[in-house]
Amino acid sequence: MAEPAQWLQDKIAEHYAKSDGGSRRPTIDLSKPSVARVYDYLLGGQNNFEVDRLAADMLNKKYNGGATEVCVTNRRALQRAVRYLAGEAGIRQFIDIGSGLPTQQNVHEIAHEIDPAARVVYVDKDPIVLAHGRALLADNRTTSVAQADAVNPDSILDAADTRALIDLDQPWAVLMASVLHHLTDEDDPAGVTRRLIERMPSGSYLFTVNLLREDHPQAGAELEAEVVSQVGSGYMRTWDQIRRYYDGLEWVDPGLVYANDWRPTDPDRVGGPWATVMVAGMGHKR
Ligand SMILES: C[S@@+](CC[C@H](N)C(=O)[O-])C[C@H]1O[C@@H](n2cnc3c(N)ncnc32)[C@H](O)[C@@H]1O
């Protein structure tokens, strides 16, 4: 497969030349896997490199297809959450933090099936997401993509790109699917969600999906070390730690559960040996 590295570097150069004369331009690091590109590969995407495919294949080999199962489970739970938010909950503003590369059935596509005027801000720290996102969304006035780090939620909420699409005084939903487990304990993931929740107006929502270190017989330090060594991050946390992400919110039924059990709709259900390693939940601010 031809590597689209040059195309990407050009896209990134183009974007940064427009925004700040090119001085902050990042390059795509092909010496090690990136979470966004490994995830893209595991979901069947094309925006990945040899180094990413090797890491993903290693994990799948060692854990009998577990890496693919976990990614598909996560993605489907996120898609069901967006359908619920745009449908039953009537949410029209979404901030998708750690959004990953555009793939099939993206958040804005699902939301736009319900209301074409729904607005989505995609945020990811990986420059490859910015490059592909800008290309995909070039003509979309309801959707934008920004490069930012989840560890600083104020910088995301206060960014001009966010303010251009999201009225922070009206209810909004934050989506953090499989991103908080890429933050270290020092990054304080519970502090990140606390700050987001503090700034939410009443009627807003938080949806997260996380790796669980309890329940599955292979979950724990060894699996965590393997994931971190292959993709650079992926910290498994306990039910209690994950529950704390929602302090100050009311649970949306069915609360914090295995991701497959979060409002399942056949034939969406993945159901496999790794089902107990991913939990999902949605909180609502009264
Ligand atoms: C496993 S992917 C999940 C993508 C998407 N949320 C989904 O559920 O389909 C995790 C994404 O989080 C991004 N990410 C990891 N740490 C981040 C951080 N500190 N700030 C912003 N994005 C981050 C990665 O670059 C990657 O694209």
Side-chain angles (χ1 to χ4, degrees), residues 34-37 39 43 71 74-75 78 96-101 103 123-126 129 148-151 156 175-179 181-183 187 209 233:
S34 99
V35 171
R37 299 183 325 233
Y39 181 69
L43 290 182
C71 291
N74 166 72
R75 186 76 195 168
L78 169 69
D96 183 2
I97 303 179
S99 58
L101 281 152
T103 173
V123 178
D124 203 287
K125 73 169 189 185
D126 192 325
V129 174
D149 198 314
V151 300
I156 295 174
L175 309 168
M176 297 189 94
S178 283
V179 58
H181 56 232
H182 293 294
L183 271 54
D187 288 334
V209 186
S233 55

Side-chain angles (χ1 to χ4, degrees), residues 20-21 34 37 43 57 101 150 152 201 216 229 256 272 283:
D20 72 347
S34 99
R37 299 183 325 233
L43 290 182
D57 289 343
L101 281 152
N152 189 349
H216 191 281
S229 96
L256 188 67

Side-chain angles (χ1 to χ4, degrees), residues 191-206:
V192 167
T193 59
R194 192 183 321 120
R195 184 63 186 143
L196 289 164
I197 292 165
E198 274 167 10
R199 293 201 52 184
M200 282 174 176
S202 148
S204 297
Y205 290 84
L206 170 71

